[in-house]
């Protein structure tokens, strides 16, 4: 039962023209007119931030027929957010994309990431928009690579002392290589994921550490090497 004001009730009826429906959006290699939640299928990412901008979250969801089948929650900058992410990763799978949008995901940054991701999915701007049948459930893990660790970059610099590379996508930076002008020309790193895997397979920590070391750039040509955390 819909209640109408007296003004509306006293109006005469004017016929409506053609019904065009919603604009089609690209979804998993098809053009879809989305009328209901179940019409939505996509795989994409959203990035959110918390109220004091202390931390950020990257949320990846794989949605099939409106249902979240896979969720990857990555956080940085806030210790409490990592615990919230643990709950969010349990809460999200099995919900419809609309339910998830209206669910408290514990942390402002994760809620904001959900909002941003929702917009991309319902507007057809997903990573899988033009992939036939979309991406398989499990595709979220591919973002993490073989070590199943988030790719994190941490750099620090001051006007007085210059730059320090602390963490690269490859891993924890152990040494920076400098040339004769004290400019960075490469770095050495240890892949913590590989190191942990070696230890799990039976290597002692020292052996595992040495096996997980690599370098990038002209590291071998360095005139001087520094520990970016101590020097």
């Amino acid at each position: 039962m819909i209640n109408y004001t007296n003004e509306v009730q006293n109006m005469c009826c004017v016929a409506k023209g053609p019904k065009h429906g919603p604009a089609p959006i690209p979804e998993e290699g098809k053009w879809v007119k989305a009328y209901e939640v179940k019409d939505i299928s996509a795989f994409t990412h959203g990035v959110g931030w918390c109220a004091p901008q202390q931390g950020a979250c990257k949320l990846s969801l794989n949605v099939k027929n409106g249902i979240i089948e896979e969720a990857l929650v990555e956080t940085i900058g806030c210790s409490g957010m990592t615990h919230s992410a643990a709950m969010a990763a349990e809460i999200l799978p099995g919900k419809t994309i609309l339910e998830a949008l209206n669910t408290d995901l514990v942390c402002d940054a994760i809620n904001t990431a959900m909002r941003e991701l929702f917009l991309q999915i319902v507007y057809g701007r997903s990573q899988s928009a033009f992939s036939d049948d979309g991406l398989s459930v499990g595709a979220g893990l591919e973002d993490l690579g073989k070590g199943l660790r988030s790719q994190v970059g941490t750099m620090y610099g001051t006007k007085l002392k210059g730059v320090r590379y602390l963490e690269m996508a490859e891993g924890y930076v152990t040494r920076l290589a400098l040339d004769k002008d004290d400019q960075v020309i490469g770095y050495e790193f240890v892949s913590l994921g590989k190191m942990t895997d070696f230890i799990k397979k039976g290597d002692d920590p020292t052996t595992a550490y040495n096996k997980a070391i690599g370098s990038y750039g002209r590291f071998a040509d360095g005139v001087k090497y520094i520990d970016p955390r101590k020097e």
Side-chain angles (χ1 to χ4, degrees), residues 8 17 31 34 40 51 84 89-90 92 106 114 120 127 158-159 177 181 206 221:
V8 172
W31 290 94
I40 300 295
S84 300
E90 185 174 351
L92 286 167
V106 189
M114 182 67 229
Q120 294 184 76
Q127 183 175 321
T158 60
K159 180 180 177 182
D181 298 316
T206 301
D221 299 331

Side-chain angles (χ1 to χ4, degrees), residues 7 9 16 22 47 66 71 76 86 112 120 130 150 169 171 173 185 206:
E7 289 81 2
Q9 288 178 339
K16 187 176 181 180
V47 174
I76 189 169
T112 302
Q120 294 184 76
F130 299 102
S150 297
V173 177
I185 59 171
T206 301

Side-chain angles (χ1 to χ4, degrees), residues 149 152-158 162-176 184 186-192 226-231:
R149 286 174 56 87
V152 178
T154 307
M155 315 300 156
Y156 178 74
T158 60
V163 72
R164 299 293 187 277
Y165 302 170
L166 302 175
E167 187 97 14
M168 287 287 193
E170 300 94 339
Y172 177 100
V173 177
T174 53
R175 288 189 295 167
L176 297 182
V184 179
Y187 55 88
E188 178 187 70
F189 61 87
V190 56
S191 173
L192 298 179
I226 64 169
D227 180 337
R229 289 171 172 79
K230 294 182 178 179
E231 298 176 79

Side-chain angles (χ1 to χ4, degrees), residues 207-230:
T207 301
Y209 177 84
N210 291 327
K211 286 170 67 174
I213 286 178
S215 63
Y216 185 84
R218 295 187 291 117
F219 183 78
D221 299 331
V223 173
K224 183 165 94 175
Y225 299 93
I226 64 169
D227 180 337
R229 289 171 172 79
K230 294 182 178 179

